[in-house]
Amino acid sequence: MRIFLTGVSGLLGSNLAWYFKDRSEVTGTFHTHPVTIPGVETLWLDLEDYPRTREVLKQVAPDFIVHCASRTDVDRQETDKEGSWRSNVLTTRVLLDAARDLACRFVFVSTDSVYPGNRGSYKEGDATDPRNWYGRTKLEAERMVLSHPGSLVLRTNIFGWNVINKESIAEWFLNHLRQGSTVTGFTDAFFSSIYTFNFAELLEQCLLRGVTGLFNLAARDSLSKHAFGQELARIFGLDAGLIQSGTLDQAILPAQRGRNLSLDVGALEAVLQDCRIPTVREGLEAFSRDWQKGVPVQIKQYMKQAVSGCVLPPRGMISYGCQFIDKADLEAVMKVLHSWSLTQGPMIELFEKEVARIVHAQYGVAVSSGTSALHIACLACGVGPGDEVITSPITFVASANCAVYCGATPVFVDIDPRTYNMDPVVLEQKITARTKAVIPVHFAGQSCDMKRIQEIVRQKERLFGHKISIIEDACHALGSYYRDMPVGSLSYSDMTVFSFHPVKHITTAEGGMVVTNDAVVDGRLRMLRSHGISRTSGESGQGPWYYEQVILGFNYRITDLQCALGLSQLKKLDWFRRRRREIVQRYNEAFSGVTWGVTPFEESWNDSNFHLYVFRFDFARIGKSRTEVMGVLKGHGIQTQVHYIPVFSHPFYREHFPVDEARFPHTGQFYESCLSLPLFPGMSDADVETVIREVHALADTMKNRS
């Protein structure tokens, strides 16, 4: 059999690939996490791209398409319904269309979440009524698949071994119990979860026997999630007493969930006849046997050690930051080069709309850099001579220069000693009657406390009787979340600015964007980026060629080439984000608790897409200056950087906007100890371990000296 398997970096996809690799010819596709499995051809594929998907399927000519790729982050999908629909429904539509005339059968892996979950023991003919958006999108995809003769839809709930740093429910229980950690299991949530390799065995029989239609493929009985954890503990010989009882109501989860999603598998057993479907406990026993045989270690080692999709030439240095460019990016740019529109063409609007969609904003205006985005944002809210603009000193100079460009005075606020972001308490003291705008900087990817900042600004607006604009400098924070909403959603600000420099989360080479929910501001931003020219404002009765310069603007335009690259990069943003957080987690594990440094702190309301990993060294304790540390690491092929020299310490600012630097104690302390270690998605695991080893070696020399 030739099997085309989507989602090979996911839990089920990777386990199916592992199972079938010695039984069939398997081609597996990934989108957000590159993986390599011996005996399996793995390739990057955007399943929303019909032409490319069609081309790949024709080349592979599979006997079966097994569609496992799916968004499974149930809670986040409630606030990203468009992204969820595209991942769960649109990809299915594209695959079906791309395979329309190929001699292959389609298998769609669905979910128990299509059922209402109010009684359990669901049969295939029972009414569906999903309780959350995830279930609704999977049900919509099911209906499309079932309209194609010869297709097979399997409703399931699974546990197994993840190839990426993510845990199935069984792994979650096992890892916590082995660490002696207390966990909570829901006593009112029942499911028929099946072990992935049991699923694979039954799927193989379905393929061999030509089974079509709709079936439940799950365990033959059910357990509550609390009982599931208890069974796992008993089988592994762990302390079941660590598992506390809880309920779904107590959990207060964003997405509703059915309480009893147990499945009746009698229909499939009747079709397969001699194939007995295992119980949940039997699945856990198989899970335990595979753990003893080292299967999870073998699976996880095939996460790509180096990201082979990256087409950059090798270099002898691990940079502190670096872009990730793959063949899809090159193809996107080449496509524009073969078109008539290199600039001011359709790719710009597409890029603007896609960024705005991702961050939940209404409008996006793409420009030539993050700096120009900050500049026109200030101009759009009327910043000018005599005004003050408040920002942080721990940032790139552009966050303050944008005020100076407008003739305003930059005012600095000391940072919070834990987050390194603007301290709201100090901000409250700095706002005056001259304050026109506040620019909070989301340093290193972690959002400022925007809710508190907005409260302070609104209070001061009432006090001084005029508008004070809030412009989020999110040049470090594309893909970050604040209070469960994407940074850029404008819940607490007027505008948000992003940067697409090569070391940022996505790149357009150079480039930036302002997003807003205000149509008037959007129009003003568009004129400011293009010489202040309008083609719609005049009433002169002139011909279609006519345009007018309405205000003094700038040539801050971005090109179609750049936006094509940006659109391609955005498709990898989820993977970029996950990879960055994996590296941060590994650094934190390696450096937590050391006596000679401090790892980054992350507020509970934040979910940061880390742009930088800023480690605070106790250089005196190590016995080396920062210059010496950077030199030693560079000698071992590791580039580090200082982020940042406080803006007010630069010669230009000391001359034109001097401050009493002693009044910024946290800024000074941070600057004296900060050093950014390498962090970018193209880092291999080996690169990360090299950084960890060499940083620890610096501390070891301290121990040897003492």
Side-chain angles (χ1 to χ4, degrees), residues 93-207:
R93 175 78 274 161
V94 169
L95 275 167
L96 288 168
D97 288 347
R100 65 189 183 277
D101 57 353
L102 303 180
C104 63
R105 285 169 44 208
F106 198 98
V107 180
F108 179 70
V109 180
S110 190
T111 173
D112 57 1
S113 292
V114 300
Y115 295 111
N118 55 354
R119 62 173 178 81
S121 297
Y122 287 104
K123 296 182 179 180
E124 291 82 352
D126 290 340
T128 53
D129 185 14
R131 288 288 179 257
N132 50 53
W133 186 254
Y134 166 65
R136 287 194 282 274
T137 57
K138 295 294 281 188
L139 183 60
E140 183 178 348
E142 274 189 16
R143 290 166 176 163
M144 290 191 303
V145 175
L146 290 170
S147 69
H148 285 246
S151 297
L152 174 63
V153 172
L154 299 171
R155 293 173 177 167
T156 191
N157 186 297
I158 56 170
F159 65 90
W161 305 106
N162 268 291
V163 67
I164 62 176
N165 292 330
K166 189 177 178 182
E167 296 173 319
S168 70
I169 185 172
E171 289 176 297
W172 181 79
F173 272 118
L174 178 61
N175 292 338
H176 278 79
L177 294 175
R178 291 184 67 212
Q179 295 166 10
S181 303
T182 301
V183 292
T184 299
F186 299 138
T187 57
D188 60 345
F190 292 83
F191 63 165
S192 299
S193 199
I194 187 170
Y195 182 34
T196 48
F197 287 109
N198 292 146
F199 181 100
E201 293 168 353
L202 293 164
L203 172 61
E204 183 178 31
Q205 292 304 312
C206 289
L207 300 184

Side-chain angles (χ1 to χ4, degrees), residues 470-539:
I470 302 175
I471 304 169
E472 296 179 70
D473 183 340
C475 291
H476 290 190
L478 179 64
S480 292
Y481 287 79
Y482 172 73
R483 299 185 184 274
D484 297 321
M485 290 296 290
V487 168
S489 65
L490 304 161
S491 302
Y492 305 99
S493 64
D494 300 285
M495 286 176 273
T496 301
V497 170
F498 296 105
S499 168
F500 310 124
H501 183 274
V503 298
K504 298 302 199 304
H505 298 103
I506 68 163
T507 186
T508 58
E510 287 280 4
M513 187 174 293
V514 189
V515 296
T516 181
N517 287 339
D518 189 319
V520 174
V521 170
D522 173 65
R524 187 169 176 82
L525 289 167
R526 293 183 186 282
M527 283 196 291
L528 285 165
R529 80 165 168 194
S530 190
H531 305 281
I533 286 174
S534 171
R535 293 183 179 275
T536 59
S537 61
E539 297 180 357

